[in-house]
Amino acid sequence: MTLTAPPAKKATYAPLELFEIDRLLDQDERDIASTVRQFVDTRLRPNVEGWFESATLPRELAKEFGNLGVLGMHLQGYGCAGTSAVSYGLACLELEAGDSGFRSFVSVQGSLSMFSIYRYGSEEQKSEWLPRLAAGDAIGCFGLTEPDFGSNPAGMRTRARRDGSDWVLNGTKMWITNGNLADVATVWAQTDEGIRGFLVPTDTPGFTANEIHRKLSLRASVTSELVLDNVRLPASAQLPLAEGLSAPLSCLNEARFGIVFGALGAARDSLETTIAYTQSRDVFDKPLSSYQLTQEKLANMTLELGKGVLLALHLGRIKDAEGVRPEQVSLGKLNNVREAIAIARECRTLLGGSGITLEYSPLRHANNLESVLTYEGTSEMHLLSIGKALTGQAAFR
């Protein structure tokens, strides 16, 4: 009788293999994640150190993202892929494993610029802009935040007044991703009828985008100030279905959902980079990975990464089923960004002096996550959103 030996077990596992995350995904979701990861590994990762150091993001990446199919991928029609929310989230995770700047570009294009047109625009506006934005032939940005009004957008000072059948816009928007690259800006302004949205072609007289320099975070991303000086628009530039502050806030909720997944990509890349480093780095004549303190750190970080992915997938399934509530997205964004930045910082400690160079990704990810922690709602605002859901009382003031 011949006895067949059981298959040998793996000696090591990647962090998320311990959770067997792939069991929770269908084949399409796995294929999308794999395709985006391959694009990141072959096209983006070899260049990200240079782009981060020089604080640039090549405009031609827009068309490459369009060809990849990730721009507005969760929208239906108009050249968009029409994928599930989970598939979109997984794409965000893989993009941010390369750099938060890549996910930010895709997120702003698809979940802010394109979603605002898709949800609140006229059929003419959708037909004019969405196919071009989905293909990366045009770039969009989203002008809500102002220098003095971030967490409290209701207080915005940008004003739109009627002049005959036209609108005239005046004001300033700040911290606008893609601003200097954009062909069209969704701009939110106060009117006599309340807050309204407008599509502003960036070649309109009176519109200026000033790039923000000397950033310590999101350097492989374009961040701008938008200035509107008597920008005259036809009545057809107004988003007809956008009434009140709920419209831009719903767009932000779409973008936050991508962050719930995306931040975990930065954490995963930090952890995988660090595990490989500790296995090759000898300290006192044996690998750094063989020390108990090192393994404690790696194990704790793996736990938080895996729990974050499980939370993201759960919220994604809810979004694909009946729709996810804003306070649920706040749970995901608050937890996953907070844990991701903690993982990136802890990974840096295991890299020692090497960790402060661009050769290794954790400190770059940590710097980027400082911005992610703040934009699309600060951690404090998400805490208060959850608190309101628990108590029924708003404590924002």
Side-chain angles (χ1 to χ4, degrees):
M1 182 174 64
T2 302
L3 295 177
T4 303
K9 293 183 178 180
K10 290 178 64 174
T12 61
Y13 294 85
L16 293 180
E17 286 183 324
L18 289 176
F19 291 84
E20 299 197 34
I21 295 297
D22 278 358
R23 286 178 176 264
L24 304 177
L25 308 177
D26 64 32
Q27 190 58 52
D28 284 346
E29 291 163 348
R30 291 193 292 269
D31 289 345
I32 287 171
S34 177
T35 298
V36 178
R37 183 184 299 199
Q38 183 179 21
F39 177 80
V40 170
D41 287 343
T42 58
R43 175 67 177 102
L44 303 181
R45 199 179 298 278
N47 298 291
V48 66
E49 294 174 22
W51 293 335
F52 189 90
E53 190 165 26
S54 62
T56 57
L57 185 73
R59 183 185 175 88
E60 59 266 23
L61 282 179
K63 288 191 176 182
E64 296 182 48
F65 286 136
N67 291 334
L68 186 63
V70 295
L71 300 178
M73 61 185 286
H74 56 309
L75 306 180
Q76 297 283 341
Y78 306 98
C80 302
T83 68
S84 68
V86 168
S87 293
Y88 170 61
L90 293 169
C92 288
L93 188 153
E94 296 299 339
L95 288 165
E96 198 147 354
D99 191 84
S100 299
F102 306 142
R103 197 266 312 143
S104 289
F105 180 97
V106 169
S107 179
V108 168
Q109 181 92 339
S111 290
L112 293 180
S113 173
M114 294 178 68
F115 182 80
S116 66
I117 300 169
Y118 180 84
R119 175 65 180 83
Y120 299 107
S122 66
E123 188 57 42
E124 291 74 19
Q125 290 168 336
K126 295 176 188 178
S127 297
E128 178 183 2
W129 287 109
L130 290 180
R132 295 168 59 193
L133 292 165
D137 293 331
I139 296 174
C141 67
F142 187 85
L144 178 64
T145 299
E146 297 189 358
D148 296 320
F149 295 93
S151 295
N152 179 27
M156 70 176 70
R157 296 195 181 103
T158 296
R159 180 84 184 170
R161 62 176 176 83
R162 293 185 185 272
D163 184 17
S165 62
D166 291 346
W167 289 95
V168 178
L169 275 63
N170 285 279
T172 302
K173 300 295 182 178
M174 196 65 171
W175 309 116
I176 308 303
T177 298
N178 298 350
N180 277 74
L181 301 175
D183 300 286
V184 62
T186 300
V187 174
W188 301 91
Q190 299 276 11
T191 74
D192 289 340
E193 296 83 33
I195 292 173
R196 297 293 184 267
F198 301 87
L199 296 184
V200 184
T202 57
D203 59 0
T204 305
F207 180 95
T208 307
N210 302 310
E211 187 169 359
I212 298 171
H213 298 287
R214 305 181 69 191
K215 295 186 299 180
L216 298 176
S217 177
L218 283 181
R219 292 179 58 79
S221 176
V222 173
T223 311
S224 310
E225 172 197 47
L226 308 183
V227 179
L228 300 105
D229 183 10
N230 288 320
V231 171
R232 181 174 292 272
L233 300 170
S236 60
Q238 183 183 356
L239 293 171
L241 301 181
E243 297 184 0
L245 189 60
S246 62
L249 292 184
S250 71
C251 300
L252 290 177
N253 211 48
E254 288 292 308
R256 289 175 188 135
F257 175 79
I259 293 172
V260 173
F261 279 83
L264 300 170
R268 188 194 71 193
D269 184 68
S270 296
L271 185 52
E272 290 178 346
T273 296
T274 301
I275 291 171
Y277 178 86
T278 62
Q279 290 172 323
S280 63
R281 174 77 160 95
D282 282 352
V283 178
F284 295 107
D285 302 319
K286 67 176 185 176
L288 179 57
S289 59
S290 67
Y291 288 92
Q292 290 183 4
L293 286 176
T294 300
Q295 293 192 10
E296 179 189 27
K297 290 183 177 184
L298 297 177
N300 282 331
M301 290 188 287
T302 295
L303 280 171
E304 296 309 320
L305 173 63
K307 288 189 287 186
V309 172
L310 292 173
L311 173 59
L313 285 173
H314 180 58
L315 294 176
R317 299 299 182 206
I318 294 174
K319 183 171 172 59
D320 280 325
E322 66 270 11
V324 67
R325 299 193 303 274
E327 59 268 22
Q328 293 175 310
V329 178
S330 287
L331 284 171
K333 202 263 187 180
L334 175 65
N335 181 81
N336 287 2
V337 179
R338 185 162 63 184
E339 296 305 325
I341 196 170
I343 288 171
R345 289 168 175 166
E346 186 78 290
C347 284
R348 209 293 308 162
T349 69
L350 288 169
L351 295 170
S354 297
I356 70 167
T357 72
L358 279 173
E359 183 179 355
Y360 297 95
S361 64
L363 188 56
R364 171 169 56 80
H365 285 309
N367 284 354
N368 286 335
L369 288 167
E370 290 288 352
S371 294
V372 179
L373 193 69
T374 299
Y375 69 29
E376 318 295 3
T378 65
S379 292
E380 291 82 0
M381 295 304 293
H382 289 300
L383 283 166
L384 295 179
S385 175
I386 296 166
K388 180 182 177 183
L390 294 172
T391 66
Q393 298 175 327
F396 298 103
R397 298 179 184 275

